[in-house]
Amino acid sequence: QHAEGTARVDVLNQLTYEYIGTDNKQALALNEEASALANRLNYTKGIGKAYIYRGVYEYLSGENPLGIDYLKKGLEWVSKANDREMKGYAYLQLGNSYMNLTQFDSSLANYDHAYEVLKDSANPVNLSKLYKNLGTLYGLKSSYDLQVKYLNRSLAIREKLGDPVLVADALVEIGRLNASNSNFD
């Protein structure tokens, strides 16, 4: 409430991220406020984040083409701002959007871009999400060995992070995969 200027945009964008998936109405209101303020301030990084989070909001709401448009606009803005972390995140979310549309080649191309950005980043959580999503993509493409490879990479990162929620998420996916393949070892 007390933040002003670009700091307020950053807070609004972070709150948008936190509310996506739990309270769509609140996420949308926060996103609209962040976008309007960032544009008024000509705050490049804030504009990019607002577009990216709006893109995630839209594709999670089932509006994949609209979400992709927002993600691409956000990617342009965060690229101008040299925000590598958000650039990697945007590519990751574009990959997810295309996977939801069963456009697997486009999904993989964006995941490859995400990897190039995230492999040396200070955000191992997003890298672990990328590996998990690559596992899902290769599962949809019926490439079992690659699916297992990427799920195991995701799990290894999450174990090092020590976050039990992230570890459990990866283990559930690996368990589901093994059960579906009658691999009970």
Side-chain angles (χ1 to χ4, degrees):
Q1 285 187 21
H2 302 290
E4 295 180 18
T6 59
R8 182 164 181 78
V9 173
D10 292 339
V11 168
L12 291 166
N13 275 327
Q14 186 60 39
L15 287 169
T16 298
Y17 175 80
E18 299 298 330
Y19 277 103
I20 290 175
T22 60
D23 186 340
N24 284 344
K25 203 176 212 180
Q26 185 67 26
L28 186 57
L30 291 163
N31 179 259
E32 288 174 348
E33 186 180 347
S35 182
L37 182 56
N39 277 294
R40 208 168 36 251
L41 297 171
N42 197 26
Y43 178 34
T44 306
K45 182 177 177 178
I47 294 168
K49 277 188 176 185
Y51 274 129
I52 290 167
Y53 292 148
R54 180 62 179 263
V56 173
Y57 168 86
E58 293 296 345
Y59 97 73
L60 288 176
S61 299
E63 300 296 331
N64 282 310
L66 183 58
I68 288 169
D69 289 343
Y70 278 112
L71 287 166
K72 287 180 178 179
K73 286 178 187 174
L75 182 58
E76 287 178 33
W77 283 95
V78 297
S79 294
K80 288 178 194 174
N82 290 321
D83 186 342
R84 285 183 55 79
E85 185 173 327
M86 283 306 294
K87 187 175 178 181
Y89 181 76
Y91 279 125
L92 171 63
Q93 296 304 331
L94 278 165
N96 294 346
S97 296
Y98 283 116
M99 185 167 47
N100 286 341
L101 294 171
T102 64
Q103 295 178 12
F104 299 144
D105 290 341
S106 294
S107 179
L108 184 56
N110 280 284
Y111 285 155
D112 286 344
H113 289 304
Y115 177 74
E116 286 305 313
V117 174
L118 295 172
K119 69 181 178 184
D120 298 324
S121 79
N123 194 325
V125 172
N126 281 342
L127 183 59
S128 77
K129 289 177 183 178
L130 173 61
Y131 284 142
K132 183 173 183 262
N133 293 343
L134 278 165
T136 301
L137 176 65
Y138 282 111
L140 293 171
K141 293 176 84 170
S142 300
S143 298
Y144 177 76
D145 291 341
L146 287 172
Q147 183 179 17
V148 169
K149 172 185 166 181
Y150 286 112
L151 289 174
N152 285 336
R153 284 185 180 180
S154 177
L155 177 61
I157 291 170
R158 292 169 181 213
E159 287 176 332
K160 288 178 183 170
L161 290 171
D163 184 330
V165 174
L166 291 174
V167 170
D169 179 59
L171 286 173
V172 166
E173 186 65 22
I174 291 169
R176 184 201 59 75
L177 174 63
N178 285 325
S180 68
N181 288 308
S182 300
N183 180 5
F184 298 109
D185 289 343

